Amino acid sequence: GFVNREVLQNIIPYVDKFLYDIKAIDPTVHKRCTGQGNELILKNLKFLSESECTIEIRYPLVKGYNDEECDRIGDFLSNLKGISKVKVLQYHHFAASRYEALGMTNTLPDTETTYEDIESAIKILKTYGLNAVNGMIES
């Protein structure tokens, strides 16, 4: 979602479903998690919704970083059209070995997201009328 609006306008006719990551609604939390603001990302998501696109949201849940954003995400998404699914994804350390192999400093959070964390987030998202699913189970 961090692209120029013109890019989205050009590809809409060729896309059946957009896979769209949402990490946080609060701009401070988003910047802490990604190093970037989220204003453009949220505006582009609204644009896709208003353009009657089908959108599958992917919410990578990082315990201790964006897990407190679940209600905000649910509230934001509940006001949009075209959201077919919200897939809550587990955070893991799989990329840690890549940092080591490349001789880079590992900047990934030292946390794990459990099955129970994901199920809790799904329960919250469903209270907003969203089709939330567990990304650990459904790929």
Side-chain angles (χ1 to χ4, degrees):
F2 193 71
V3 297
N4 184 303
R5 170 83 40 94
E6 186 176 286
V7 171
L8 294 176
Q9 289 170 323
N10 289 337
I11 66 171
I12 284 173
Y14 307 103
V15 177
D16 293 328
K17 181 190 299 183
F18 284 88
L19 303 180
Y20 208 97
D21 281 17
I22 292 291
K23 295 170 184 81
I25 300 301
D26 183 299
T28 304
V29 173
H30 191 273
K31 187 156 187 145
R32 190 181 81 179
C33 290
T34 68
Q36 295 288 333
N38 63 349
E39 183 180 358
L40 177 61
I41 293 164
L42 298 178
K43 281 184 178 179
N44 280 339
L45 181 54
K46 286 181 182 177
F47 169 73
L48 291 175
S49 173
E50 291 164 359
S51 298
E52 300 183 5
C53 296
T54 300
I55 310 158
E56 179 178 307
I57 300 295
R58 299 163 0 127
Y59 171 28
L61 184 65
V62 185
K63 189 170 183 149
Y65 285 81
N66 70 345
D67 50 330
E68 298 295 322
E69 285 290 292
C70 197
D71 271 305
R72 288 183 191 103
I73 290 171
D75 183 53
F76 182 83
L77 295 176
S78 70
N79 294 302
L80 300 179
K81 305 181 289 186
I83 306 297
S84 64
K85 184 185 302 183
V86 180
K87 189 179 284 190
V88 183
L89 304 174
Q90 178 187 29
Y91 174 77
H92 50 71
H93 294 114
F94 294 164
S97 62
R98 294 183 188 142
Y99 279 89
E100 186 177 329
L102 294 169
M104 298 171 63
T105 302
N106 183 346
T107 59
L108 298 173
D110 186 23
T111 185
E112 293 263 348
T113 304
T114 66
Y115 180 87
E116 291 77 18
D117 296 329
I118 291 174
E119 289 298 314
S120 177
I122 289 168
K123 186 176 179 181
I124 291 168
L125 292 167
K126 284 186 174 188
T127 67
Y128 290 92
L130 298 165
N131 176 24
V133 299
N134 187 328
M136 292 175 70
I137 297 169
E138 185 179 308
S139 57

